[in-house]
Amino acid sequence: MTILITGGCGFIGRHVAEELLQSGYEVRVLDALIDQVHADAELVVPEGAEVIRGDVRDKDAVRAALANVDGVIHLAAEVGVGQSMYEIARYVSCNDLGTAVLLEAMIGMPVRKIVVASSMSVYGEGLYLTGDGRRLGYVRRRSHHIKRGQWDPLGPDDEPLTPVATDEEKPVDLASIYALTKYAQEKQVLIFGEAYGLDAVALRLFNVFGAGQALSNPYTGVLANFGSRLANRQPPMIFEDGKQRRDFVHVRDVARAFRLALEKPAASGHVINIGSGLAYSIADVAMLLADAMGVPEIAPDIMNKARSGDIRNCFADISKARELLGFEPKYHLENSLAPFVDWVRQTGAIDRGAEMKRQLEERGLVS
């Protein structure tokens, strides 16, 4: 069986390709190899994968890549909440138009399955409970609260709320252009699958980490940003007070989840969370990484400023992934940092965190 991976030369894509090749699949990759992701890193392609350089918005390139393909894993996308708030046309074009071009090119092709990478960002704030145990699916922080440093969201009567693991029943609440494009991607794929009789699955990925991330891209994952700063003996920059909580899932677990989504018929038509099922405060993550990198004395820079599009808490309930995919995380942040640290040391990361902060501040996206 031949699988096309769009964006397959990226961080997640390379691991997905390795997972599929090791499981006996034929793998073809379509990747535009954009500078923001690949400029400062040596291109690593899994042995045995066929690589086509091309943009997912180029219909001719996409149709050529789809020839004799049985399934598609669609990863090609611009990634980054902050950057999406000012490079709007770029994000909408690549993520949403790119998905539309891919799906249109698939019409009449013998592709039987497509799995798309969505994002936890579509939830906005995660799930919260009131003091009496009621679920609140729509929770948003008020700007006047944020400006005075009230970072945690409050209930309808300004009562404190308790963040809990977010399941797929939590309503979507889009807080950034990036989130909007990821939701459009997953809806396009699921609607297309139903209309054309394809098995279609959307995996909502939480914060993915592991060796191989683009360390010099300040809009990539949190851990890569922190690693780049620490490698240059600079403190990790943390917006707000550092107590916001996220779920960190290892890239190898994510790669396995994509293979399972291809193989499990029960997953068809579903959106499924892929995370570790654990919650970590961002400040704790920064200190954990500093310790692993041998620089525990470098404390994070807690900026006590908010970035537009950010949310406070979101971590995954992975019950559905366990039920439909048989998915179980094998790697956790506490015991999986050594390969990532080795990668940071070998790569020679260029720290562009200050540049990212300046770009956001110039546009009034930090308050």
Side-chain angles (χ1 to χ4, degrees):
M1 180 178 284
T2 301
I3 306 299
L4 172 66
I5 307 174
T6 70
C9 289
F11 166 52
I12 295 174
R14 295 195 304 273
H15 286 86
V16 173
E18 288 176 4
E19 174 77 21
L20 294 182
L21 288 163
Q22 289 169 6
S23 299
Y25 291 88
E26 298 290 325
V27 172
R28 182 178 298 150
V29 166
L30 176 69
D31 200 299
L33 301 175
I34 64 170
D35 286 346
Q36 181 167 301
V37 177
H38 298 281
D40 298 314
E42 180 183 354
L43 180 61
V44 179
V45 179
E47 186 177 350
E50 176 191 357
V51 178
I52 298 173
R53 182 167 187 172
D55 194 303
V56 75
R57 291 164 292 187
D58 180 341
K59 188 169 185 176
D60 291 337
V62 171
R63 288 191 66 84
L66 283 168
N68 302 312
V69 160
D70 303 291
V72 174
I73 292 179
H74 182 33
L75 305 177
E78 296 283 1
V79 178
V81 167
Q83 190 178 49
S84 78
M85 300 301 287
Y86 61 89
E87 295 208 18
I88 298 170
R90 172 180 166 186
Y91 273 70
V92 172
S93 175
C94 179
N95 297 1
D96 297 345
L97 177 60
T99 301
V101 170
L102 171 66
L103 295 177
E104 194 171 293
M106 284 170 53
I107 296 172
M109 293 279 194
V111 179
R112 301 311 310 153
K113 187 123 191 181
I114 181 169
V115 184
V116 63
S118 185
S119 166
M120 52 81 74
S121 67
V122 304
Y123 291 120
E125 285 290 344
L127 187 64
Y128 288 82
L129 297 182
T130 61
D132 58 3
R134 288 182 295 115
R135 286 171 58 112
L136 289 184
Y138 289 108
V139 173
R140 283 213 174 188
R141 298 186 289 179
R142 300 170 180 88
S143 59
H144 63 279
H145 286 169
I146 291 174
K147 286 177 181 177
R148 67 172 187 244
Q150 169 62 52
W151 305 119
D152 290 312
L154 300 173
D157 299 316
D158 284 349
E159 73 273 27
L161 302 172
T162 302
V164 295
T166 298
D167 59 30
E168 295 85 352
E169 298 304 309
K170 192 267 179 195
V172 165
D173 189 16
L174 308 171
S176 67
I177 298 298
Y178 173 67
L180 174 65
T181 66
K182 296 307 289 185
Y183 187 59
Q185 280 190 302
E186 73 172 52
K187 292 303 287 185
Q188 282 186 68
V189 167
L190 294 175
I191 290 168
F192 182 89
E194 185 173 2
Y196 285 92
L198 275 70
D199 289 337
V201 185
L203 300 185
R204 289 178 176 168
L205 308 183
F206 281 67
N207 295 81
V208 184
F209 78 96
Q213 280 185 292
L215 297 175
S216 299
N217 175 5
Y219 298 99
T220 189
V222 172
L223 215 65
N225 288 338
F226 289 176
S228 296
R229 296 284 290 172
L230 290 166
N232 288 277
R233 300 200 62 82
Q234 296 296 315
M237 293 188 298
I238 298 179
F239 291 95
E240 303 181 18
D241 63 355
K243 296 179 182 178
Q244 59 268 48
R245 291 197 281 170
R246 297 290 188 274
D247 184 317
F248 290 84
V249 58
H250 197 278
V251 67
R252 294 196 182 279
D253 285 329
V254 170
R256 190 171 68 260
F258 274 102
R259 177 178 59 79
L260 291 169
L262 277 176
E263 295 174 348
K264 302 289 186 179
S268 182
H270 287 277
V271 294
I272 303 171
N273 288 341
I274 302 298
S276 68
L278 302 174
Y280 301 85
S281 82
I282 297 300
D284 284 348
V285 169
M287 290 185 284
L288 189 67
L289 182 59
D291 189 58
M293 292 182 67
V295 287
E297 71 279 7
I298 302 182
D301 176 12
I302 307 294
M303 293 189 290
N304 287 298
K305 293 182 178 181
R307 179 175 60 175
S308 183
D310 275 352
I311 52 94
R312 183 64 174 171
N313 299 295
C314 194
F315 43 95
D317 182 329
I318 57 172
S319 302
K320 191 173 181 181
R322 288 180 168 128
E323 177 187 353
L324 296 182
L325 301 180
F327 172 77
E328 193 65 43
K330 294 182 178 179
Y331 306 90
H332 292 133
L333 194 61
E334 307 92 298
N335 54 24
S336 303
L337 283 176
F340 175 78
V341 169
D342 289 343
W343 164 261
V344 173
R345 288 174 175 154
Q346 293 167 12
T347 302
I350 299 171
D351 173 31
R352 295 196 173 100
E355 176 188 344
M356 175 267 290
K357 180 172 175 282
R358 177 185 58 78
Q359 290 176 339
L360 294 172
E361 287 177 334
E362 285 177 352
R363 294 165 173 84
L365 296 174
V366 174
S367 60

